[in-house]
Amino acid sequence: MAEQPAAASGSGDPPQPEQPSKNALKKAQKEKEKAEKKAAAQARELAERQKKEAADAEDVSKDSYGELPLIGSAAFKPTGTPRIDLSTAADNEDKEVTFRCWVENARVQSAKLAFVNLRQGLNTVQAVAAATDGVSKQMVKFCGNVSTESTLVVTGLVKRVKEPIKSASIKDFEIHILKLFVEVKAEVPLPLQVEDAERPLPESGLGDEDEKQTESNAKPLVGLNTRLNNRTLDLRAKINHAIFVIKSGVCALFQEFLSQKGFVLIQTPKILGAASEGGANVFEVKYFDRQAYLAQSPQFYKQMLIASRFQKVMEIGPVFRAENSNTARHLTEFTGLDLEMEFQEHYHEVMSVLEDLMLFIFKELNARYKKETELVRSAYHVEDFKLPESGKVPRIPFQEGIKMLREAGEELGDYDDLSTPQEKHLGRLVLEKYNSDFYVLDQFPLAIRPAYTMPSPHNPELSNSYDMFMRGQEILSGAQRIHNAELLAEQMRKHDPPIDPNGPGTKEYVDSFRYGCPPHGGGGFGLERIVQFWLGLPNIRMCSLFPRDPQRVTP
């Protein structure tokens, strides 16, 4: 019998697929849910985009706000719309005005209301963006989110307010915004908040160690180094604008007064062949194949012009002093207000002109720059500057000043130079005795004055020289100058250190007196010191746009 084949295993039905595990089912379900969520998010995003596009299409203000192309870089047709100065806001009540400004701060109050504080120069105004038939919610949102310090062109209605606005200098009016365009957007965050630069310096005035100091209301007090390192932002502060408006005013008043007295404005070289004041406090520069020096003063040239028959000269220009003095009243580059004049019989004639010049400047600062002065002093709380009358400026002989200080407990010799603390001490004594913050010390010791200073006829140890002081600190050094070539050469040789009257850069100066020169005198003011002491500022660097001292040559 033939062998039968073996029976097949199983029932003969096709094989069944394996059932998925529980984990695989869960994973599949998660993937499905994830896909559904993604699809739903995409649908929502599409719906939101379509809604926004629809809303934008319906934005009634779409042509009244936004960012303008950079002026000069793209085709742009000027509107020709007249621009106003914010100082004239009160003259434009209920009128539509357009002006350039920048943002002090902006905030969204609600979907239909935003406030923007705007500034132009020293003037600030509150502006309101409110949703109306002509102003959309989108525009309100845009206005309330403009970055601080951005430059804007704003059009709006000037409206009187019921209650004074405390946060703006223009208190009785606000701007109801009709158009707001960003001309230049400010980057954020700012390295220095302009608002912080409005507050006074920390007590020490210098150093980043002061950064953590705060006022009682927890607002930061930013140190001077940080401010100077970010000077373009720091200078935006209203208090700094006021300082430099006053500084400009001092220069204008200096020229105004002296022009009326017949002084001629001059410009003298600042690259010299010899140090104009002698000594070591001079910056040397390589001048082609030889050595030259930056001018410590215009002294030689002022005198040479008197010898040239210019009877009265004045100059406003830079002065360079290589003094390694890191004090609150020294700079290595400052602005000198200089004058020189011939006199008839006595050098006190020159002192009288200088005294009346300063009294004129002080009085006109009070009259013409009262707003700026009060703004700065409101931060530093200095006493008003006490002025004597013309002809009554205290003139104190140097020896008497020494006596006053000794009687007050100071120890110093008859011919010692005064230290800064001693000067300040004497200033307090003079204020107490004469009720004046401005005074003159006369007849300084000859040994501590420049070689061109005329010796005193009363005491060979003294000289016909003087300093002027504000709040007990020196602002001017002046004297009768030697106008005889032989005497000048003799004094130069005696000077410590000696100066060669036949040396390069000095021979021409000495020779200018060999051909007949009238008696003359003058002085040089430090412009930044006048501003510092007038306003009661703690540091002279605040009075220089981009100060130079032994540690700083940038920005």
Side-chain angles (χ1 to χ4, degrees), residues 74-135:
F76 176 70
K77 185 178 180 180
T79 65
T81 304
R83 308 285 181 88
I84 72 154
D85 192 287
L86 276 180
S87 63
T88 67
D91 301 328
N92 290 281
E93 184 175 356
D94 295 326
K95 295 179 183 177
E96 182 177 309
V97 297
T98 299
F99 55 94
R100 174 180 283 151
C101 56
W102 68 89
V103 181
E104 278 202 325
N105 61 70
R107 68 185 188 279
V108 174
Q109 192 78 1
S110 69
K112 295 185 177 183
L113 184 64
F115 291 94
V116 191
N117 270 44
L118 304 174
R119 180 178 163 195
Q120 184 192 81
L122 293 179
N123 296 300
T124 56
V125 68
Q126 176 177 278
V128 182
T132 62
D133 292 340
V135 178

Side-chain angles (χ1 to χ4, degrees), residues 375-434:
L375 174 61
V376 179
R377 288 181 181 173
S378 68
Y380 288 94
H381 309 295
V382 67
E383 294 290 331
D384 286 344
F385 196 85
K386 291 184 172 56
L387 289 174
E389 296 179 8
S390 177
K392 295 185 178 179
V393 175
R395 290 183 182 177
I396 302 168
F398 186 84
Q399 298 293 294
E400 182 182 329
I402 294 289
K403 181 181 177 182
M404 291 172 65
L405 285 169
R406 284 174 176 164
E407 290 174 351
E410 297 280 354
E411 294 183 6
L412 67 169
D414 289 347
Y415 304 108
D416 288 349
D417 200 2
L418 301 182
S419 66
T420 298
Q422 288 168 341
E423 284 184 0
K424 291 180 179 180
H425 190 178
L426 183 58
R428 293 191 294 271
L429 297 174
V430 172
L431 179 61
E432 182 180 341
K433 183 174 181 178
Y434 297 99

Side-chain angles (χ1 to χ4, degrees), residues 445-465:
L446 183 63
I448 62 175
R449 305 303 275 200
Y452 49 74
T453 306
M454 181 67 78
S456 172
H458 309 295
N459 182 340
E461 299 290 330
L462 301 177
S463 63
N464 292 352
S465 64

Side-chain angles (χ1 to χ4, degrees), residues 276-277 446-454 477 479 481-482 491 495:
S276 50
E277 299 289 337
L446 183 63
I448 62 175
R449 305 303 275 200
Y452 49 74
T453 306
M454 181 67 78
S477 183
R481 325 299 189 180
I482 297 173
Q491 292 300 115
H495 193 261

